Amino acid sequence: MKLQRKNRLRALSLGAVAVTGALTLTACGSDDTGGSGGAGGSTAPVNSKIDCGDAKGQLLADGSSAQKNAIDAWVKQYAASCKDVVINYKGSGSGAGITAFTQGQVAFAGSDSALKPEEVTASKEVCTGGQGIDLPMVGGPIAVGYNVPGVDKLVLDAKTLALIFDSKIKKWNDKAIADLNPEAKLPDLQIQPFHRSDESGTTDNFTKYLIAAAPDQWKYEGGKAWEAEGGQSAQGSSGVAQGVKETEGAISYMELSYAKDGMNTVDIKTDAAKPAEATVENATKAIAEAKVVGTGKDLALKLNYKPTTDGAYPITLVTYEIVCDKGNKADTLPATKSFLTYIASEDGQALLADAGYAPMPEEIITKVRTTISELS
């Protein structure tokens, strides 16, 4: 795909600029298709509620591509008010972000999965006297986008999705799909499932849903790396979205903001009375049932992948900003606290719905704000 190759080359170029320390603000990652601005280069109005404090210099971050569009919106607002700070978020994926963080290459990372015990241990090498912690900041549905000519409405359940992505159901007019969609004119068309080629928190959360809701059909252990055989792969959220748009018969999972430009998304059948649509509001209904399971200042959540509330969309993710609780670098701590304080604020969270994301429930975001204020 020429367009995808062009975007990747462009993103690699932007990443090189970040590494050399050029004063360019970009929210692009290895799978980005645009969106950059800089100190003095933003057209957003100055927000008097953003406290820049002593923040200055360049702030490097990396990680989740699922939250890239949210970061774009936040950076645009922040850069207009805090012109002495240059933020570079390189959305290379959750796995790459955590690696960059534990190697001390970035001030904070974005991940759609909470830190594993071994990653917390590794973080202690760069967090002097402290460790990496998870701050839930962005929520939203993992949409299942599809490209089936003539089918504008499609309902699937966990069992059928598991069999599709495990290449066990191969045609769109398979009986299992037809039984869930009696009014649809399903074509005799090969199913082309796309999955992420990079380590991804979106993959982790999507497969956690399959494990929880269809354990007899999905026998894999799960994690950031895709395990099932077959199908096609693409880099990042925008890569799989592009694959669906360009391929008849394609289906893939992606953060909702990437399922746009006319892409159809699957309604998910649960134990509730009606199938749940992939919307911000329906994701919030499910995330509200999450439990904080982190200890100390860590605010890792356990999501409920089998909600019974009417409308609750079961395939959700929460993106965490990962930062040191103590031992942050002195030259980046002011900018890190200032930016994180803004994105966790009422104004920062209010931008999420317009960008296709779900704000954190008030009970959770209040804890996040307190924790950010105590970073050192």
Side-chain angles (χ1 to χ4, degrees):
M1 293 180 281
K2 294 182 178 179
L3 177 59
Q4 185 176 351
R5 182 173 181 271
K6 180 179 179 181
N7 289 336
R8 288 181 180 177
L9 291 174
R10 176 177 177 271
L12 288 172
S13 175
L14 288 171
V17 171
V19 172
T20 58
L23 295 181
T24 301
L25 182 149
T26 173
C28 302
S30 61
D31 62 342
D32 183 24
T33 56
S36 64
S42 173
T43 58
V46 173
N47 186 338
S48 61
K49 295 181 181 179
I50 297 178
D51 183 5
C52 304
D54 298 326
K56 60 182 178 180
Q58 186 171 211
L59 192 64
L60 298 181
D62 197 0
S64 165
S65 64
Q67 72 165 354
K68 189 201 75 66
N69 292 332
I71 292 285
D72 278 351
W74 281 328
V75 164
K76 182 178 181 180
Q77 296 294 322
Y78 184 83
S81 297
C82 302
K83 299 184 184 297
D84 291 332
V85 182
V86 176
I87 301 175
N88 186 304
Y89 182 80
K90 185 171 177 272
S92 305
S94 297
I98 291 175
T99 297
F101 178 75
T102 56
Q103 293 180 351
Q105 298 172 358
V106 294
F108 71 91
S111 176
D112 306 320
S113 301
L115 289 167
K116 296 179 180 179
E118 61 269 25
E119 293 167 341
V120 173
T121 299
S123 73
K124 294 179 180 180
E125 297 295 321
V126 295
C127 301
T128 307
Q131 66 178 50
I133 56 173
D134 302 286
L135 301 178
M137 198 72 73
V138 182
I142 300 175
V144 180
Y146 67 96
N147 180 350
V148 182
V151 180
D152 297 327
K153 188 77 171 177
L154 186 69
V155 174
L156 296 174
D157 58 14
K159 294 178 180 180
T160 308
L161 279 171
L163 294 172
I164 287 173
F165 280 92
D166 199 21
S167 300
K168 297 295 194 331
I169 293 179
K170 301 180 182 296
K171 291 290 188 73
W172 278 109
N173 61 351
D174 187 276
K175 184 178 184 301
I177 301 176
D179 287 346
L180 291 167
N181 299 273
E183 297 181 5
K185 295 181 180 180
L186 299 167
D188 182 17
L189 177 66
Q190 190 78 19
I191 297 176
Q192 305 285 351
F194 276 79
H195 59 264
R196 292 279 290 270
S197 60
D198 54 319
E199 288 200 353
S200 161
T202 311
T203 294
D204 191 15
N205 282 277
F206 180 65
T207 54
K208 280 179 179 176
Y209 161 72
L210 296 178
I211 291 168
D216 293 336
Q217 288 73 29
W218 194 258
K219 299 294 187 179
Y220 304 97
E221 294 182 358
K224 294 185 182 71
W226 185 258
E227 297 172 302
E229 296 182 0
Q232 302 186 51
S233 64
Q235 173 84 15
S237 297
S238 64
V240 294
Q242 191 71 19
V244 171
K245 292 175 185 177
E246 296 180 350
T247 309
E248 283 195 0
I251 186 171
S252 190
Y253 56 94
M254 66 204 73
E255 198 281 324
L256 180 62
S257 66
Y258 291 89
K260 53 189 179 181
D261 299 331
M263 185 187 300
N264 292 315
T265 59
V266 173
D267 291 351
I268 304 298
K269 179 177 172 52
T270 67
D271 289 335
K274 296 181 180 179
E277 185 180 352
T279 67
V280 169
E281 294 77 14
N282 288 346
T284 299
K285 291 179 181 179
I287 294 172
E289 299 181 16
K291 306 295 183 183
V292 175
V293 294
T295 58
K297 294 184 178 180
D298 186 86
L299 297 176
L301 302 175
K302 181 178 181 180
L303 299 173
N304 179 12
Y305 294 104
K306 296 193 291 183
T308 57
T309 302
D310 285 343
Y313 184 79
I315 320 176
T316 59
L317 63 76
V318 169
T319 300
Y320 301 92
E321 310 311 332
I322 295 171
V323 66
C324 297
D325 58 353
K326 298 178 182 178
N328 289 279
K329 294 180 181 178
D331 58 339
T332 58
L333 178 59
T336 299
K337 289 186 70 171
S338 174
F339 182 64
L340 294 182
T341 296
Y342 162 61
I343 67 178
S345 71
E346 186 176 339
D347 282 358
Q349 290 287 297
L351 289 180
L352 290 176
D354 288 340
Y357 298 88
M360 286 295 98
E362 189 63 27
E363 181 181 351
I364 294 173
I365 202 64
T366 298
K367 295 177 181 178
V368 170
R369 291 166 186 158
T370 299
T371 303
I372 292 171
S373 70
E374 297 171 347
L375 297 178
S376 62

